[in-house]
Structure formats: structure tokens, C-alpha cells
Amino acid sequence: MLGITPLVLIVLPLLFQIIFGTISVFRNYSFKFKTVCIINIVLQFVFAITSYCIASYNFSKYFEQHPNSPRCGMPFVGLIGLTFISALILFVVIVVQYFIKKNYK
């Protein structure tokens, strides 16, 4: 039902940081760079929890329809791994954009 929604939610803060962070570095934008970074870090945690809840809901609905199928928690491990990788990439992008901003001025 909500198939790839957890995966999209995990990647959204990274995409927002790339787009709005670049805009705030090179142009006069209403958001400051610091505000954009804080918003995206908070969104990373909120979307990670939301994606875990959605994935849990998806698995419970799947197991209601297929009661005899074996249950495995490996998709949740993959989701948590993707969350850590996405958060690490987000922090790298923030640091790179910070140094670009520092050298740009």
C-alpha cells in the first residue's frame, strides 16, 4: 500500500539540503544557511521515525493477508542502515556547503 514511501522519506532531507542549502549559499534567500541545516537535521530524525512506523504498518498488513509466511526483521535492518547512510551523507553535504560558503564570501 505505501510501498516506497519509507525510502522516499529517508532521502527527502538530503535532497532539501542540497537544493535549499545551495540556494542559501549562493543567493540572498529568506532562510539562512544555519536555519536550513537545523531544519534538515530535525527532519532527518522525524522522517526516520515516520518511515519506520509506515514500514511496520506495511509489514503488519502483509502478514494479516499472508498468515503462514515466515516473519523476518531484515527489511527493518536495511531501513535503519539506509537511515544511517543518508544521515552521514547529509552531514557531509552540510560540511561541504559550509566550506563553500566560507570560501565564497
Side-chain angles (χ1 to χ4, degrees):
M1 184 163 105
L2 301 169
I4 68 166
T5 305
L7 302 176
V8 172
L9 283 176
I10 290 174
V11 179
L12 274 179
L14 177 63
L15 293 176
F16 287 151
Q17 179 65 38
I18 291 172
I19 294 168
F20 291 113
T22 304
I23 290 172
S24 69
V25 166
F26 293 115
R27 298 183 190 159
N28 290 333
Y29 194 64
S30 62
F31 289 128
K32 292 184 178 181
F33 181 71
K34 181 179 177 182
T35 307
V36 172
C37 294
I38 291 172
I39 288 171
N40 286 319
I41 290 171
V42 169
L43 282 179
Q44 182 70 33
F45 290 115
V46 170
F47 284 170
I49 292 169
T50 306
S51 67
Y52 179 78
C53 292
I54 291 172
S56 177
Y57 175 77
N58 287 344
F59 284 125
S60 68
K61 288 296 177 183
Y62 175 78
F63 290 129
E64 285 178 7
Q65 295 174 358
H66 304 90
N68 294 332
S69 63
R71 295 180 183 214
C72 179
M74 287 306 288
F76 290 115
V77 174
L79 194 64
I80 291 170
L82 181 64
T83 302
F84 285 135
I85 290 171
S86 178
L88 179 68
I89 293 171
L90 177 67
F91 287 125
V92 168
V93 167
I94 289 172
V95 168
V96 168
Q97 285 179 344
Y98 173 74
F99 285 123
I100 289 173
K101 180 179 178 173
K102 193 173 183 181
N103 289 333
Y104 185 68
K105 290 185 175 182

